[in-house]
Amino acid sequence: TLICRNTFLATSSKKAILNVANPPSYTSSPPVQSTTPTEGDTFMYNYIISADPQPDSYTWRRNSQIISNSSRITVTANSITINNVNRSDSGVYSIFSSNVAGNGSANFTLNVYYPPVLGDIQQSVTLNVGAPFTLNCTPVDEGNPPANVSFSYNNTGAAEESVTTTGYVLSVSSVVRNHRGEYSCEVSNGVGRDSVIVQLMVTAPPTVPQQLMSSDVSPFSATISWMLPEDDGGTDQPLMYSITITNYTDSTSLPPVTTNMTTLSFAYLQHSTRYIVNIVADNDLGLGPSPPAVINFTTPDSVPIIESVSVEALSLTI
């Protein structure tokens, strides 16, 4: 109210309304809003505007680039909505507005989460015994947040310290038979996961033949048979067997024999003699381990033994 007086003590008054203009200011609504949506979600961020008068213009930006309404993004004076949000939407979002009192702005950082992705990894590996093995599970996209990796393997019987993991890589410096099996790796980050299973085949020389038997042993011949090794080595080549037969008494040997059969007959043996037979399996990676499979037998005597003779005297009468 304005009051005026003059020297004659006359007064006059007039009322007026004073409006104080305020520039725009922004408060998140609600105060705490998630800015880490998962890829594919619908994302919305809201503000409460305090301004007098209300802003006569506003602009939204992402990383300083102006955002306009589109089929996927909707902006208003106090909110932004992004449908089917994706990783490329991540960035710093800012709103700028103004009125007669000045300018106002606010910003937040959008960090879109998405799962990790592995690349093409060979799912079947064949190595010779002694070769190194590496399973590299480095993702082509680590995801957001960055993924963790876990490995599993069924190398029963192999020393645990022979398998090492460093970051995204599992390695074996020198594979043995017991490293055969399935190796798996999984990358995950709480948003999603990706995994692969690798079948490792280790090829090696065969183990020793099993269950050696002798049969049909006569004074001058015999037959030897055996079963396949417990482990043929895993190669594509059919197994071969090297057989030597040695006279135990004088250490002389018959010429070695090679066959792919599991039965072999020997002739021209000596009667009443002990023989030792060695059998070694063989594939394209080499001979089986030493000592070889061994069996021995003794040939019988070739002359029948007469245990008793009865002689009766005959009397003749002439």
Side-chain angles (χ1 to χ4, degrees):
T1 300
L2 176 65
I3 300 176
C4 299
R5 290 186 176 87
N6 59 19
T7 55
F8 301 101
L9 300 178
T11 63
S12 177
S13 63
K14 188 71 174 179
K15 291 184 178 181
I17 298 175
L18 176 64
N19 290 324
V20 179
N22 296 311
S25 64
Y26 292 86
T27 304
S28 295
S29 177
V32 178
Q33 301 181 69
S34 173
T35 55
T36 55
T38 299
E39 195 167 54
D41 289 351
T42 295
F43 171 75
M44 178 180 289
Y45 201 92
N46 294 291
Y47 287 106
I48 295 176
I49 302 177
S50 176
D52 190 11
Q54 288 297 303
D56 49 26
S57 66
Y58 66 90
T59 301
W60 278 92
R61 297 177 183 269
R62 182 179 70 86
N63 297 337
S64 301
Q65 299 296 314
I66 294 177
I67 302 172
S68 301
N69 283 312
S70 66
S71 60
R72 198 170 63 86
I73 300 177
T74 302
V75 294
T76 68
N78 67 326
S79 69
I80 181 169
T81 302
I82 306 175
N83 296 312
N84 192 26
V85 68
N86 60 64
R87 64 197 69 183
S88 65
D89 293 321
S90 295
V92 177
Y93 286 74
S94 305
I95 183 170
F96 300 88
S97 63
S98 62
N99 61 12
V100 293
N103 302 319
S105 66
N107 65 74
F108 65 88
T109 299
L110 177 63
N111 188 17
V112 179
Y113 284 178
Y114 54 91
V117 178
L118 290 171
D120 293 330
I121 297 176
Q122 186 177 353
Q123 298 183 19
S124 179
V125 178
T126 300
L127 298 172
N128 292 341
V129 65
F133 169 62
T134 299
L135 174 55
N136 190 334
C137 282
T138 303
V140 293
D141 193 326
E142 216 177 18
N144 186 29
N148 296 312
V149 63
S150 61
F151 293 96
S152 63
Y153 44 91
N154 64 340
N155 61 327
T156 54
E160 186 174 344
E161 58 267 21
S162 67
V163 179
T164 60
T165 56
T166 304
Y168 289 110
V169 179
L170 176 147
S171 59
V172 181
S173 60
S174 179
V175 297
V176 297
R177 300 173 194 270
N178 288 332
H179 286 124
R180 293 169 178 162
E182 289 185 348
Y183 291 72
S184 65
C185 74
E186 179 181 277
V187 289
S188 62
N189 64 353
V191 178
R193 64 190 67 240
D194 197 3
S195 62
V196 65
I197 296 176
V198 176
Q199 183 73 37
L200 175 62
M201 180 62 195
V202 178
T203 55
T207 55
V208 297
Q210 302 183 91
Q211 301 181 26
L212 278 64
M213 296 179 59
S214 61
S215 60
D216 300 329
V217 180
S218 71
F220 305 106
S221 65
T223 298
I224 304 299
S225 61
W226 58 92
M227 301 295 291
L228 295 173
E230 183 179 0
D231 183 355
D232 65 4
T235 68
D236 295 330
Q237 181 192 24
L239 285 179
M240 300 296 291
Y241 300 94
S242 299
I243 302 99
T244 58
I245 180 168
T246 303
N247 185 317
Y248 180 79
T249 303
D250 60 14
S251 299
T252 59
S253 299
L254 295 179
V257 178
T258 300
T259 181
N260 61 357
M261 307 297 290
T262 56
T263 300
L264 184 65
S265 295
F266 295 94
Y268 306 106
L269 302 179
Q270 297 179 21
H271 66 85
S272 305
T273 303
R274 180 183 176 187
Y275 287 93
I276 299 175
V277 181
N278 293 336
I279 304 177
V280 179
D282 183 15
N283 63 15
D284 54 357
L285 294 180
L287 296 173
S290 181
V294 178
I295 187 173
N296 61 78
F297 63 88
T298 301
T299 56
D301 197 324
S302 64
V303 179
I305 299 175
I306 301 175
E307 295 184 353
S308 64
V309 176
S310 177
V311 178
E312 295 184 357
L314 298 177
S315 61
L316 297 178
T317 302
I318 299 178

